[in-house]
Each structure stands twice: as C-alpha cells, then as structure tokens.
Amino acid sequence: MQYATITGWGKCVPPATLTNHDLSTFIETSDEWIKPRTGISQRHISHVDTSELASVAAQRALAAAGIDGSELDMIILATASPDTLIPNIASTVQANVGATCAAFDINAACSGFLYGLGLGSAQIKSGQCKKVLVIGAERLSFYLDWSRRETAVLFGDGAGAVVLEATDEAIGILGYELNNDPAGRDILKAGFGTAMDRFNAASLDFYIEFNGQEIFKRAIAGMGKLSKKVLEKCDTSIDDIDWVIPHQANERIIDTLISRMKIPKEKAIVNIANYGNTSAATIPIAICDALEQGKIKPGQTILSCAFGAGLTSAAALIKWGDRVTPINESDAELPPCDKTGIELVSKAVKHFCG
C-alpha cells in the first residue's frame, strides 16, 4: 500500500506588518482589547499578489524536499483570495516552478489546506501520482473593511506549502476527514462573485462578514467532531498524539477545542500572535514554524484540524517521517517592499474609514 508522506515544506510571509497599535490609529481598538480576545499581536500585509506568496512558499518546499518542479505530478492550491478567478493561480505557480502537470485551485476557505492534503494523499494512495505539491495561500487584507473592528483585527496575509511523496512505509497522511455544513454558510462570507451587480459601483464594497459567536460554537464542534472521527478511523488515541496543529483563527477557539478534547495546551502549536488568521495558510505556516523551532521530531504523530466558511471542516492524522531538516535551501524571495503595513492599507482605510 502506498502512503503520502511530507518530504518538503516552505512558508512565505510578506515583510510588512500591522500591529495592534497600528490598528488603533484608525479604528477604535487597542492591544489590550485585541490580544485577550484573539491572541493576535500583529498580522502581515502583502505588497504582492497571492500567487507570488504561493510561488515563493512552493519553491522553498521543493528545495526542502530536494526535488525539481518538473518532477511534480500535481499542484493543489488552496485559496479564497486568488489574483484571478480565471485562470486559476495554481497555473501561475506551476509556471514559476517549472512544472508540467495537473494544477488547480480549491476554495474550502480556512479548511482549504487540509482539503488539499487529503486530495493529494488520495491521488498518491491510488497510484495516480507520486509527487504532489499542496499550497495554502491568502491575501485576505484585500477583503477587509478596515472600519469593522470585528474583522479588521483578525486577518493577515501569507502562504505555506508542503511536498507529498509516495512511500511504502506507514508514515505521512494516515487518514483524513472532510465535511461541509451548508446550513451555516451565511454566517461567514465575502460578497464577491457573479451575484454582484457589476454595473453598480456600490457592489464593489464587498468585505468579510461573520457572526463571531456562532462561528465560535460551530468551529469547536466541527473540528472536534472530525478530529474524533479521524482518530477512530486510524485506531489512535488522544494519548498517542504528540502535537496538535489547529487552524489559527482565534486562540480562544484553540484553547476551548483542546480543553474539550482533553489535550494538554503544551501539545498545541499556536503561532497566531505573529500572523493573525491567514485562512488556508495557517496550518502549513504553523508546520514550518514548528519544524524551524525543533518541535517536530521524527516519527511523531500530529493531529491537524480546521474550520472555515461553507461551513467547511477538516482533520488529518499525520505520522512524521525521518527528516525534519530541509535537503536544500531555496533563494526564492519576494520583491522588496518599501512601505509599512499602515502605508499598504492606507488607500483602503481612507475608503472605508473616511
């Protein structure tokens, strides 16, 4: 039987940041209000398109795996904030890494990376593919109404990627679960799409909308349910878990989730303070951070779960392989940025805040 194991990883976060103090200069908020409620101290603001963030993360992941883009059989790019709807931006990444394979975008919002991980794993287990690149990339700052404190403080930009490769060893993606609850699809949305009246300028004022209390409850229920399901499927107990890498939406959600699952807080990878919610990118960025910090060790068992608009939810059980350091380092970099986070959002702030 073939398994899909993670052999390469890479992240890309833009250099400009927007701190909680920065936000307080144009909306009524403060670090004292934001940090206790969300766990967030800052978020990164991109000066480039989502595909550029994704391409750099992809090149770094390929280098870490020690393979060339031409060896890939498939590219799956999870995003809710692509540069263009037509064509997909996986094709942009494909061109940038020199791949000649299937390439497509998926939109499962914050669960997108785990959806991609599951799909990529299935392609490898079926024998259809040997090497798959899975990316989560977002530029959510594009969607924000900076006058709305409830969303303006939460989201950031970034990308992360992993390479999946076929192996005969029982390692890698041991199992995954995907689900969607359409009954709640209206509690988290951004009104961009063909439902817009393209001839009405007011329709261009789209932004992320959500019902925070309802999302809080449904996120914990959705991630908890699928986490339990994937553990049962893989005949694995909570005690067998070395690390939990949850979607980084809100530290309160993470705390409540792991408490209800009876998982010690020290087993949770939490990096939301530095990035905010980067949607599909949160989990691959967290994987990269955990590896850089030496937390993930060979052979460890990792539970990852996510929840997002749709309402999507996902969980995956991963047994890490032998290697926790990159084979090669990529010299891929974003173009220089000569603006601060405040300067990058200033036009949007003026539009929404006056």
Side-chain angles (χ1 to χ4, degrees), residues 22 37 43 47 67 158 178 185 192 201 207 211 261 280 295 320 334 340:
D22 292 334
R37 287 171 172 78
R43 64 288 297 145
H47 62 298
I67 69 170
L178 310 177
R185 69 186 305 273
F192 178 80
Y207 51 86
N211 180 327
M261 294 179 68
K295 292 181 176 179
W320 202 264
L334 294 177
T340 65

Side-chain angles (χ1 to χ4, degrees), residues 21-289:
H21 174 71
D22 292 334
L23 286 170
S24 72
T25 64
F26 56 82
I27 56 175
E28 187 177 343
T29 192
S30 65
D31 182 70
E32 291 75 20
W33 189 89
I34 299 169
K35 190 70 188 295
R37 287 171 172 78
T38 68
I40 301 168
S41 297
Q42 66 172 25
R43 64 288 297 145
H44 292 254
I45 305 296
S46 185
H47 62 298
V48 298
D49 291 332
T50 307
S51 64
E52 288 201 58
L53 298 172
S55 293
V56 172
Q59 288 167 301
R60 291 173 178 173
L62 290 168
I67 69 170
D68 189 80
S70 62
E71 300 176 51
L72 292 171
D73 300 307
M74 182 173 286
I75 298 172
I76 303 173
L77 199 162
T79 185
S81 52
D83 316 356
T84 56
L85 294 177
I86 305 171
N88 65 43
I89 66 169
S91 60
T92 304
V93 176
Q94 180 183 21
N96 289 340
V97 303
T100 54
C101 62
F104 58 94
D105 295 355
I106 58 172
N107 178 4
C110 300
S111 304
F113 176 77
L114 290 185
Y115 265 60
L117 205 66
L119 295 176
S121 169
Q123 288 292 308
I124 288 174
K125 288 184 177 182
S126 72
Q128 184 73 24
C129 297
K130 294 294 184 184
K131 297 175 182 178
V132 177
L133 176 65
V134 182
I135 309 165
E138 303 284 11
R139 189 185 175 195
L140 292 175
S141 59
F142 173 80
Y143 286 120
L144 295 179
D145 176 343
W146 294 99
S147 70
R148 294 174 178 268
R149 181 177 65 173
E150 66 273 18
T151 51
V153 306
L154 294 178
F155 297 99
D157 304 335
V162 299
V163 173
L164 297 178
E165 293 194 55
T167 179
D168 293 327
E169 294 183 66
I171 58 174
I173 317 304
L174 301 181
Y176 65 92
E177 289 291 330
L178 310 177
N179 191 46
N180 195 76
D181 174 17
R185 69 186 305 273
D186 288 330
I187 68 172
L188 175 55
K189 60 184 180 179
F192 178 80
T194 58
M196 295 168 60
D197 180 356
R198 62 184 297 197
F199 305 109
N200 180 357
S203 69
L204 295 177
D205 279 344
F206 55 84
Y207 51 86
I208 293 176
E209 305 173 67
F210 76 12
N211 180 327
Q213 290 186 339
E214 193 64 24
I215 289 171
F216 189 97
K217 292 186 295 184
R218 288 175 181 254
I220 294 165
M223 289 191 287
K225 179 181 179 180
L226 290 198
S227 294
K228 181 180 179 182
K229 198 170 181 180
V230 78
L231 289 172
E232 290 175 349
K233 176 191 284 188
C234 298
D235 194 23
T236 302
S237 74
I238 288 293
D239 293 337
D240 296 325
I241 301 301
D242 295 297
W243 293 108
V244 179
I245 303 182
H247 168 49
Q248 309 288 308
N250 183 307
E251 193 164 1
R252 283 184 173 180
I253 291 177
I254 295 171
D255 287 346
T256 304
L257 173 68
I258 62 175
S259 174
R260 291 188 182 179
M261 294 179 68
K262 294 181 170 42
I263 296 173
K265 177 69 182 283
E266 57 268 21
K267 285 190 174 184
I269 302 295
V270 183
N271 66 354
I272 191 171
N274 297 323
Y275 306 106
N277 181 353
T278 56
S279 187
T282 69
I283 289 173
I285 289 175
I287 289 172
C288 291
D289 281 359

